[in-house]
Amino acid sequence: GRNAEWVATEYFDWLSTFFSTLIKVQLEGDRCTFYFFDPSIKLLILQKSQERSAPDRQLLYIVGGLLSAKQERGRLEFREVLDRKYVMAAIHEFSPALPWFIYRWSQAIIHLIVMKAFGEHLKWHVISNKKVLV
């Protein structure tokens, strides 16, 4: 009963609580900024593509931040798959600012932990909202 648009919104709302002390998440319109303690230390900036997004697909371009190398096409996508039973999150063409061996053992692992925790959050969200049939 939820679509990719709902999952993307839930993700950014949830991130604010998941990273409540170290990393802050600021949403302003179609832009999401991750910063470290102070808003001037921008780690990652995502910009939603209105033209390429729909309820079943949300596309956000990675447009800046200290953790991202200068790039044109890096993006985060939430997309409904398998007859709209699931929503998949994927990062495409992202170029990290960190050297690959450091990225692989730091930022990539943190991203994996965050996405697994978000998956658990969604699982509990679905379980807690199921109606019991009597």
Side-chain angles (χ1 to χ4, degrees):
R2 307 286 187 192
N3 59 21
E5 185 173 30
W6 181 88
V7 171
T9 300
E10 185 69 15
Y11 177 69
F12 292 112
D13 289 345
W14 172 82
L15 276 175
S16 296
T17 59
F18 186 76
F19 283 130
S20 63
T21 54
L22 285 176
I23 298 171
K24 302 294 182 190
V25 180
Q26 183 178 33
L27 294 169
E28 292 181 21
D30 290 338
R31 185 169 284 232
C32 178
T33 304
F34 299 83
Y35 62 89
F36 191 66
F37 292 114
D38 184 313
S40 66
I41 306 173
K42 293 173 176 60
L43 298 175
L44 209 54
I45 304 166
L46 304 175
Q47 178 71 43
K48 181 179 176 181
S49 170
Q50 288 292 347
E51 304 80 35
R52 297 185 64 195
S53 293
D56 65 339
R57 178 186 189 219
Q58 296 292 291
L59 185 70
L60 298 105
Y61 286 104
I62 301 165
V63 296
L66 296 172
L67 296 177
S68 174
K70 299 285 183 207
Q71 57 194 343
E72 299 291 322
R73 300 180 46 89
R75 59 204 183 275
L76 169 63
E77 179 178 16
F78 294 90
R79 182 182 285 230
E80 293 178 22
V81 295
L82 298 174
D83 289 328
R84 297 186 164 165
K85 291 180 183 175
Y86 302 95
V87 172
M88 173 181 70
I91 297 175
H92 305 282
E93 299 183 48
F94 174 72
S95 297
L98 297 170
W100 182 252
F101 67 94
I102 295 172
Y103 167 79
R104 183 169 184 243
W105 297 109
S106 61
Q107 189 178 343
I109 291 172
I110 291 168
H111 180 72
L112 179 63
I113 291 167
V114 167
M115 294 311 284
K116 284 192 175 281
F118 181 60
E120 289 299 313
H121 166 77
L122 290 178
K123 192 184 313 179
W124 282 106
H125 191 282
V126 168
I127 289 170
S128 66
N129 286 323
K130 281 190 176 179
K131 295 183 179 168
V132 179
L133 299 175
V134 181

